[in-house]
Amino acid sequence: MIVLGIETSCDETAAAVVTDAREIRADVVLSQLDDHTPYGGVVPEIAARAHLEHLDGLIRRAMAEAGVGFGDLDAIAATGGPGLIGGVIVGVMTAKAIAAARDLPFVAVNHLEGHALTARLTNDVAFPYLLLLASGGHCQLLVVEGVGRYRRLGTTIDDAVGEAFDKTAKLLGLGYPGGPLVEQAAARATNPGRFALPRPLVGRPGCDFSFSGLKTAVRRHVEEVGAPLSDADRDDLAAAFQSTVAEVMADRCARAIARFKADHPQGGALVVAGGVAANKTLRARLQILADREGMPFVAPPLRLCTDNAAMIAWAGIERFRLGESDPLTFAPRPRWPLDPTAAPVIGRAGVGSGVKA
Ligand code: KG4
Ligand code: ZN
């Protein structure tokens, strides 16, 4: 089975060709970073226009790299949400047009499911597993029971973890996108233990997250040290922030592991996914936790953590081989939670409903 995947939900335009033998035949990603950098964040209208301009060319490139024509494809998968709706519409309409013209099945993929199933593409991980989904719009702990079957154990009550990285980067004058820049600054720190930051919810029951207090604490330190920050101040603060985030995540994961083991005594892996899963300090910290808990730990290669279309093609394959596809009347979804039965989170409207991935 050969599937073309399309991803346009945020600021990466991407196309990929993947097979059901877990082979990534092509995986092209065009970052719109330069288009959005002057504004310090993603501008939805600019994103939608850039997807429109580049998507056709990227699909052509991916198919040429994979050495396939439309006649070789078994299905077309595109991100159907959640995400910035203008971009999602561009990807979905393109996929529908190809599907209609070539009489191919169309699969609308939940972007979050793309992240969630990546570990099955890269490592053939068996269900069930415990997933930490950490991206720019989400921070959730989920039990992945099967394709389309997710049980949410915890989520953030305020900011997503990637959002916290991005806001911290802004406070430190590092620019956008924050995650990789904070990671690089932290690596240069000469006194990483200099600043003590609060560790929100650590030691508390449940598996929820909170990051807004941490960001406020960084702001307070920035004000105390006084502008302009020296390079050393900035790097030490970045290191403090990053190691605190890793500690908080490990604490929340440890609680989720206890629940996972109680419900699934046969065991399963601890998996991390989403853009923040590219962070090496977080990966190392979670590896220690998994070793302690006797669980296999799976973190996809860095380029498959951040947004890409290989994960969309793969999630499309997983659904399609179960006999699922979508009609061409499918309407793009700005919100699309993985676990629609999860209770709403008190404290912030929209969080956990999949506003952005
Ligand atoms: O999954 P993703 O590519 O896009 C969506 O949000 O769907 O995640 C992007 C987020 C951004 O907030 C970015 O700052 C963060 O992932 N990120 C990182 C790293 N690379 C990307 N955060 C921490 N460390 C990184 N190396
Ligand atoms: Zn994403």
Side-chain angles (χ1 to χ4, degrees), residues 3 74 81 103 105 129 158 174 189 231 240 256 277 284:
V3 169
D74 293 282
D103 199 19
Y129 51 90
D158 41 57
L174 285 167
D231 288 357

Side-chain angles (χ1 to χ4, degrees), residues 132-136 138-140 155-168 171 197-202 207-219 241-250 252 276 282 348 351:
L132 170 63
L133 177 56
S135 72
H138 289 271
C139 192
Q140 303 186 348
T155 188
T156 179
I157 59 173
D158 41 57
D159 294 345
V161 61
E163 198 179 349
F165 266 96
D166 295 337
K167 288 177 176 172
T168 295
L171 285 170
L197 296 172
R199 298 191 296 171
L201 299 183
V202 165
C207 306
D208 286 335
F209 300 85
S210 168
F211 294 103
S212 75
L214 188 52
K215 173 194 67 195
T216 308
V218 171
R219 175 180 295 129
F241 172 81
Q242 180 177 258
S243 64
T244 304
V245 167
E247 275 316 308
V248 169
M249 307 272 277
R252 306 284 82 196
V276 181
L282 176 64
R348 189 182 155 194
V351 168

Side-chain angles (χ1 to χ4, degrees), residues 7 9-10 12 111-112 115 133 135-137 274-275 305-308 311 356-357:
E7 157 60 33
S9 68
C10 193
E12 262 101 23
H111 177 91
L112 301 173
H115 282 303
L133 177 56
S135 72
C305 288
T306 48
D307 288 349
N308 65 87
M311 70 180 190
K356 186 184 164 284

Side-chain angles (χ1 to χ4, degrees), residues 13-335:
T13 316
V17 177
V18 177
T19 75
D20 61 344
R22 302 175 34 240
E23 184 194 1
I24 301 176
R25 298 270 287 266
D27 171 24
V28 294
V29 180
L30 181 76
S31 168
Q32 302 175 0
L33 200 55
D34 294 346
D35 298 327
H36 301 288
T37 298
Y39 306 95
V42 180
V43 183
E45 185 60 25
I46 293 177
R49 282 165 192 270
H51 289 308
L52 195 56
E53 192 178 324
H54 298 297
L55 184 56
D56 290 358
L58 278 182
I59 290 173
R60 206 174 298 127
R61 220 177 96 197
M63 294 193 51
E65 275 179 28
V68 298
F70 287 123
D72 300 314
L73 298 177
D74 293 282
I76 317 274
T79 298
L84 300 173
I85 198 64
V88 177
I89 290 172
V90 172
V92 165
M93 293 307 290
T94 304
K96 284 180 181 177
I98 299 171
R102 308 300 305 212
D103 199 19
L104 286 167
F106 161 68
V107 188
V109 169
N110 182 321
H111 177 91
L112 301 173
E113 182 155 58
H115 282 303
L117 299 179
T118 299
R120 289 172 53 78
L121 166 62
T122 58
N123 296 68
D124 208 8
V125 176
F127 298 123
Y129 51 90
L130 178 63
L131 172 74
L132 170 63
L133 177 56
S135 72
H138 289 271
C139 192
Q140 303 186 348
L141 277 156
L142 298 144
V143 178
V144 184
E145 292 168 345
V147 177
R149 289 171 47 215
Y150 300 88
R151 202 156 50 81
R152 198 182 79 196
L153 302 182
T155 188
T156 179
I157 59 173
D158 41 57
D159 294 345
V161 61
E163 198 179 349
F165 266 96
D166 295 337
K167 288 177 176 172
T168 295
K170 225 173 204 176
L171 285 170
L172 298 179
L174 285 167
Y176 172 86
L181 296 169
V182 168
E183 179 164 29
Q184 287 157 25
R188 293 189 297 261
T190 47
N191 190 359
R194 185 172 143 212
F195 296 100
L197 296 172
R199 298 191 296 171
L201 299 183
V202 165
R204 300 264 292 275
C207 306
D208 286 335
F209 300 85
S210 168
F211 294 103
S212 75
L214 188 52
K215 173 194 67 195
T216 308
V218 171
R219 175 180 295 129
R220 238 189 0 258
H221 280 298
V222 169
E223 284 162 6
E224 267 166 33
V225 172
L229 288 185
S230 70
D231 288 357
D233 294 337
R234 189 195 58 206
D235 297 347
D236 290 346
L237 258 174
F241 172 81
Q242 180 177 258
S243 64
T244 304
V245 167
E247 275 316 308
V248 169
M249 307 272 277
D251 175 82
R252 306 284 82 196
C253 284
R255 291 195 179 259
I257 288 171
R259 283 174 64 179
F260 179 78
K261 283 183 170 174
D263 293 345
H264 302 280
Q266 78 276 25
L270 172 65
V271 172
V272 66
V276 181
N279 187 278
K280 292 186 206 72
T281 299
L282 176 64
R283 291 163 82 101
R285 184 65 189 82
L286 294 177
Q287 178 75 62
I288 291 168
L289 174 66
D291 289 348
R292 198 183 75 201
E293 297 284 349
M295 289 170 93
F297 175 61
V298 177
L302 300 193
R303 74 167 275 130
L304 292 178
C305 288
T306 48
D307 288 349
N308 65 87
M311 70 180 190
I312 303 303
W314 176 254
I317 287 172
E318 292 254 33
R319 287 196 49 215
F320 189 60
R321 66 186 182 187
L322 293 175
E324 295 176 25
S325 64
D326 293 279
L328 296 185
T329 50
F330 172 88
R333 302 180 182 171
R335 298 178 178 208

